[in-house]
Coordinates of all heavy atoms in Angstrom, one line a residue:
D76 N -34.0 -27.4 -65.2 CA -33.4 -28.5 -66.0 C -33.1 -28.0 -67.4 O -34.1 -27.8 -68.3 CB -34.5 -29.6 -66.1 CG -33.8 -30.9 -66.6 OD1 -32.8 -30.8 -67.4 OD2 -34.5 -32.0 -66.5
H78 N -31.4 -29.3 -69.8 CA -31.1 -30.3 -70.9 C -32.3 -31.1 -71.1 O -32.5 -32.2 -70.5 CB -29.9 -31.1 -70.5 CG -29.4 -32.0 -71.6 ND1 -28.1 -32.3 -71.8 CD2 -30.1 -32.4 -72.8 CE1 -27.9 -32.9 -73.0 NE2 -29.2 -33.1 -73.6
A186 N -14.8 -21.4 -85.9 CA -15.6 -20.3 -86.5 C -16.6 -19.8 -85.6 O -16.8 -18.5 -85.5 CB -16.1 -20.6 -87.9
L196 N -22.5 -15.8 -74.9 CA -23.2 -17.2 -74.9 C -22.2 -18.3 -74.7 O -21.2 -18.2 -75.4 CB -24.2 -17.3 -76.0 CG -25.2 -16.3 -76.2 CD1 -26.2 -16.7 -77.4 CD2 -26.1 -16.2 -74.9
L198 N -21.0 -22.2 -75.5 CA -21.1 -23.3 -76.4 C -21.4 -24.5 -75.6 O -20.6 -24.8 -74.6 CB -19.8 -23.5 -77.3 CG -19.8 -24.8 -78.0 CD1 -20.6 -24.6 -79.4 CD2 -18.4 -25.2 -78.4
D205 N -15.7 -39.7 -82.7 CA -15.8 -41.0 -83.3 C -14.2 -41.4 -83.7 O -13.7 -41.0 -84.7 CB -16.5 -41.0 -84.5 CG -16.7 -42.5 -84.9 OD1 -15.9 -43.4 -84.6 OD2 -17.7 -42.8 -85.6
G216 N -18.8 -57.4 -82.2 CA -19.7 -58.2 -82.9 C -20.6 -58.9 -82.0 O -20.7 -58.5 -80.8
R243 N -9.0 -27.2 -75.5 CA -8.0 -26.5 -76.2 C -8.7 -25.3 -76.9 O -8.2 -24.2 -77.0 CB -7.5 -27.4 -77.4 CG -6.4 -28.3 -77.1 CD -5.4 -28.7 -78.3 NE -6.2 -29.3 -79.3 CZ -6.6 -30.5 -79.4 NH1 -6.4 -31.4 -78.4 NH2 -7.2 -31.0 -80.5
A366 N -27.9 -39.6 -53.5 CA -27.1 -38.5 -52.8 C -27.2 -38.8 -51.2 O -26.1 -38.8 -50.6 CB -27.7 -37.3 -53.1
L443 N -44.5 -24.4 -57.3 CA -45.0 -23.0 -57.5 C -44.2 -22.3 -58.7 O -42.9 -22.4 -58.6 CB -44.9 -22.2 -56.2 CG -45.7 -22.6 -55.1 CD1 -45.1 -22.0 -53.7 CD2 -47.3 -22.2 -55.3
G466 N -33.1 -14.7 -73.8 CA -31.7 -14.5 -73.3 C -31.4 -13.1 -72.9 O -30.8 -12.9 -71.9

Side-chain angles (χ1 to χ4, degrees):
D76 191 340
H78 193 151
L196 299 183
L198 172 79
D205 187 345
R243 278 203 307 280
L443 296 164

